[in-house]
Amino acid sequence: MEAVATTNTLLQLNIKQDAFLEIRKNAFTYLEKTGLPAPKAEEYKFTPITRVLEKNFSSLQPEGNIGKVDVAQSSIDALQAERIVFVNGVFDETLSSISAEAIHIQRLSSIQDKNVISKIGSLAKSNTDTFVALNTATFQDGLFIEVKANHKIERPIIIHHIADASVTKVVAATRNLIWVDENAAVTVIEKYDAVGGAVFSSHVNEVFVAKQGSFTYKLIQNDIGERYQFTHTVIHQQSNSHVNCFALCLNGKLIRNNLHLLLDGEHIDSHMYGLYLLNNDTLADNHTVVDHMKPNSISNELYKGVMDGNAKGVFNGKIFVRQDAQKTNAFQSNRNILLSDAAGVNTKPQLEIWADDVKCSHGCTSGQLDEEALFYLQARGISKASAKALLLYAFAGEVIEKIENETIRKYIDGLVAERLNQHF
C-alpha cells in the first residue's frame, strides 16, 4: 500500500492518445498495482530512488520549459558524427543533422507500420521493471532509427539528451527503437548534459541487431547538473552478430543504468565494459544481464569503479546460460577501489547455468590502492599524489583501451585524466 500511495503522489498521468495507447494503459495498470520500488525491493535496495523522487519532485509527468540550448557546449571536439538532439525529452529536428542515406529516422509518433509499432515494449517489458513501466506510460517523444542492410555507417550517431532546468525542474521521458538490419554496422553514442536545477530523466532503448549485424553503443554520463536518471537498454542479437557496449559515469546525483543483452542465435560475440569514477555524494547503480539462449556464443564483461568522498557504487551483473546454450563462453568481472572511509560499493555478480558444456566465470574485488605499488613509485621520486593518480589511471585504462574509435577514446581518456588531476 505504501508503494501505491507513493505512485499516486508522484504520478499525475494523462495517457496519450497515440498508436501506443494500449501498452501505455498496461504500463499504468502495472504501476497502479506495484507502485514505485519500496525501500526493501531487491532490485533497488541499494538505490533509494523512490525516496529521492518523493523529496525532489511532486510529479513524474513530463514537464519543463524548453529554452534555447547550445549544442556546441556538449559536443565532442573533433568528432565527425551524425547528430540527434533531444531537449527536455523532445526531439529537436532543427538541431539534429543526419546525412547518411542508409540511416532512416522517424518519430515514433508518426509511425504507421504495425510491424514497427509492435516492437515497442517487446524487449523492454513493463512488467519487469517499475521504471520501464513509468517510461512506457509517460514517454513524450522518441525515434525509430533503422540502419539499412549491407551498409556500414562510417560516422557514429551521437544522441544528445540536453536538459534545460534553468527556469523550472524538468521531468523528461524518451524512448528509441533501433533496428540494425542484416550485415549492417553502426555506432551509437548517448551523451547527457543539463543546466540549471533538478532533472529527472528516464530513457529506454530497444535495439534489434539482425544476422551478421554490428552494433557499438557508448553511454557518457558526465552531467554536472543535478541529474536523477534512469536508463534501460535491451539489445536483441541474432546469429553471427557483434555488440560492443561501453558506459562511463563521472557525475550525477543518482544514476541507474540497466543494460540487457539477449543472445538469441549462434556464433554471437558480445562485450560490455563500464567505468564509474565517483566523488562527492554521487550514487551510480549499474545492473547488467547477459542471457545466452542459443549455443556457440561468447560474452565478456568488465566493469570497474573508483569511489571517493561520500560516493556510492552499485554493480549487479547476471549471466544466464539456457539449457540449449551449449559451448557458451561467458566471463564477468567487477573491480572497485575505495579512496575514502565514507565511500562504499555493493557488488553482486550472479551466474545461472542450465547447460553442461560451457566455460563461465564471474567475480568481484573491492579494496584500496596497492600500498607496495605506491611505495615503489615514491621510491623513484614520484610524489604520493602523482603515484596515486598514475595507479588509478592505469586501473581505468584497461577499460578505456577497449574503445575502438580513436576520437572517442581520446575524449574519454581526457575526461578521466582531468578527473584524476582535479582529485590529486
Side-chain angles (χ1 to χ4, degrees):
M1 291 300 294
E2 179 183 349
V4 174
T6 298
T7 304
N8 291 334
T9 299
L10 292 176
L11 295 182
Q12 298 170 6
L13 296 183
N14 181 17
I15 301 298
K16 289 186 177 182
Q17 301 288 326
D18 58 16
F20 311 106
L21 180 60
E22 195 61 31
I23 66 167
R24 289 184 187 276
K25 285 183 176 179
N26 291 337
F28 185 57
T29 298
Y30 179 78
L31 283 170
E32 284 188 310
K33 179 181 177 181
T34 63
L36 299 182
K40 294 183 180 180
E42 182 64 26
E43 289 296 299
Y44 287 88
K45 67 179 181 180
F46 298 120
T47 306
I49 189 167
T50 300
R51 188 168 69 246
V52 168
L53 295 178
E54 285 180 314
K55 181 179 179 180
N56 293 279
F57 300 90
S58 60
S59 170
L60 297 183
Q61 176 71 17
E63 62 179 347
N65 296 327
I66 299 176
K68 294 182 180 180
V69 298
D70 185 359
V71 179
Q73 291 184 351
S74 60
S75 296
I76 298 175
D77 291 341
L79 179 66
Q80 299 297 313
E82 312 290 346
R83 186 168 67 193
I84 294 172
V85 179
F86 287 88
V87 181
N88 289 359
V90 178
F91 173 58
D92 192 321
E93 190 172 359
T94 64
L95 296 176
S96 303
S97 176
I98 299 293
S99 60
E101 294 183 358
I103 302 175
H104 169 72
I105 289 183
Q106 187 176 359
R107 288 180 102 147
L108 294 183
S109 58
S110 67
I111 291 175
Q112 301 296 322
D113 188 333
K114 292 184 179 180
N115 183 43
V116 176
I117 293 173
S118 68
K119 297 297 184 182
I120 298 294
S122 63
L123 295 182
K125 301 180 185 297
S126 293
N127 62 0
T128 59
D129 189 284
T130 302
F131 286 96
V132 172
L134 175 64
N135 178 275
T136 303
T138 63
F139 75 90
Q140 73 260 50
D141 211 347
L143 296 177
F144 170 51
I145 304 172
E146 180 183 11
V147 182
K148 298 178 181 179
N150 304 312
H151 285 82
K152 181 179 180 180
I153 308 302
E154 296 296 334
R155 305 198 324 170
I157 300 173
I158 183 165
I159 303 176
H160 291 280
H161 296 276
I162 301 175
D164 179 6
S166 56
V167 177
T168 183
K169 293 180 179 180
V170 170
V171 176
T174 53
R175 194 179 192 107
N176 290 330
L177 173 63
I178 302 174
W179 207 311
V180 183
D181 289 338
E182 289 192 17
N183 200 36
V186 69
T187 294
V188 173
I189 306 164
E190 289 197 292
K191 188 172 184 292
Y192 290 84
D193 293 278
V195 293
V199 176
F200 172 67
S201 63
S202 72
H203 181 73
V204 172
N205 290 316
E206 295 178 285
V207 185
F208 292 85
V209 185
K211 294 179 180 178
Q212 297 180 318
S214 178
F215 180 69
T216 300
Y217 175 65
K218 303 285 189 293
L219 175 64
I220 301 175
Q221 295 165 322
N222 186 28
D223 193 341
I224 60 175
E226 194 177 346
R227 170 82 74 164
Y228 305 92
Q229 182 176 329
F230 171 85
T231 71
H232 186 89
T233 296
V234 187
I235 304 173
H236 180 275
Q237 295 182 246
Q238 293 185 349
S239 295
N240 298 292
S241 63
H242 303 272
V243 164
N244 267 289
C245 299
F246 176 88
L248 174 71
C249 184
L250 295 178
N251 281 306
K253 296 291 285 186
L254 188 151
I255 307 294
R256 169 63 177 252
N257 297 321
N258 293 344
L259 177 60
H260 296 184
L261 269 56
L262 310 178
L263 282 63
D264 191 12
E266 295 193 54
H267 307 294
I268 290 174
D269 190 47
S270 302
H271 300 271
M272 307 165 74
Y273 302 106
L275 181 63
Y276 42 102
L277 306 180
L278 312 176
N279 59 13
N280 301 321
D281 58 352
T282 296
L283 191 159
D285 181 348
N286 288 284
H287 269 56
T288 67
V289 174
V290 181
D291 193 345
H292 286 266
M293 305 165 70
K294 302 289 174 60
N296 299 304
S297 291
I298 297 173
S299 69
N300 183 48
E301 180 177 8
L302 174 61
Y303 271 68
K304 285 189 167 186
V306 178
M307 274 65 63
D308 198 6
N310 295 313
K312 298 292 186 295
V314 180
F315 175 81
N316 188 315
K318 299 178 183 177
I319 297 176
F320 297 101
V321 182
R322 306 295 177 180
Q323 188 171 359
D324 293 336
Q326 304 293 341
K327 305 292 184 182
T328 286
N329 289 346
F331 308 100
Q332 178 193 93
S333 179
N334 175 232
R335 304 171 196 166
N336 300 280
I337 292 177
L338 303 177
L339 297 179
S340 75
D341 293 337
V345 64
N346 292 283
T347 179
K348 186 179 180 182
Q350 301 173 71
L351 183 59
E352 296 186 25
I353 302 174
W354 290 278
D356 53 17
D357 187 7
V358 300
K359 293 181 180 179
C360 300
S361 68
H362 67 140
C364 64
T365 59
S366 298
Q368 298 176 328
L369 282 173
D370 188 330
E371 291 295 334
E372 290 187 7
L374 273 176
F375 177 79
Y376 177 86
L377 291 172
Q378 289 179 264
R380 278 148 183 80
I382 299 174
S383 69
K384 186 175 183 179
S386 296
K388 285 184 176 181
L390 283 172
L391 290 177
L392 290 174
Y393 182 79
F395 178 79
E398 185 183 1
V399 180
I400 297 173
E401 69 183 11
K402 305 297 184 182
I403 301 172
E404 309 89 346
N405 185 295
E406 183 179 1
T407 301
I408 301 172
R409 185 173 63 251
K410 287 183 177 180
Y411 172 75
I412 290 176
D413 187 80
L415 291 179
V416 171
E418 182 181 11
R419 166 60 61 84
L420 295 178
N421 287 333
Q422 289 175 346
H423 182 81
F424 296 108

